[in-house]
Amino acid sequence: HMNLSQEILQHEHWQQAMFALKKMNLYQTPRAKLQCIVTAFKSLIKLLYSLKKHRKVDDDPTADDLLPLCIM
């Protein structure tokens, strides 16, 4: 995980996102696999909002904030 801080890697929403992606191998249909991806993205968005609240940032997270997390 190239430049992700320990704060992110240890966050419960990051762990939930990784769990959702790992579950993809348990499913065979494209719809079920896509649902795992949606669940992971929802967890990542929750992570960004949690970090925003913790860091007391006024701006809402954007796609530019989400994309680096998706690449990891």
Side-chain angles (χ1 to χ4, degrees), residues 9-66:
L9 293 175
Q10 294 175 353
H11 199 282
E12 84 176 276
H13 294 305
W14 175 264
Q15 298 298 325
Q16 290 170 354
M18 295 304 100
F19 181 72
L21 293 175
K22 288 177 184 176
K23 284 188 355 182
M24 283 180 62
N25 290 329
L26 300 175
Y27 300 101
Q28 295 182 1
T29 66
R31 183 175 191 266
K33 289 179 183 282
L34 187 56
Q35 186 59 46
C36 292
I37 294 170
V38 169
T39 300
F41 268 73
K42 286 180 180 180
S43 292
L44 293 176
I45 291 169
K46 288 178 186 178
L47 167 65
L48 289 172
Y49 274 101
S50 177
L51 293 175
K52 172 193 167 194
K53 182 179 176 183
H54 180 336
R55 295 177 180 168
K56 298 180 178 150
V57 177
D58 291 332
D59 297 332
D60 284 339
T62 65
D64 291 336
D65 300 316
L66 182 62

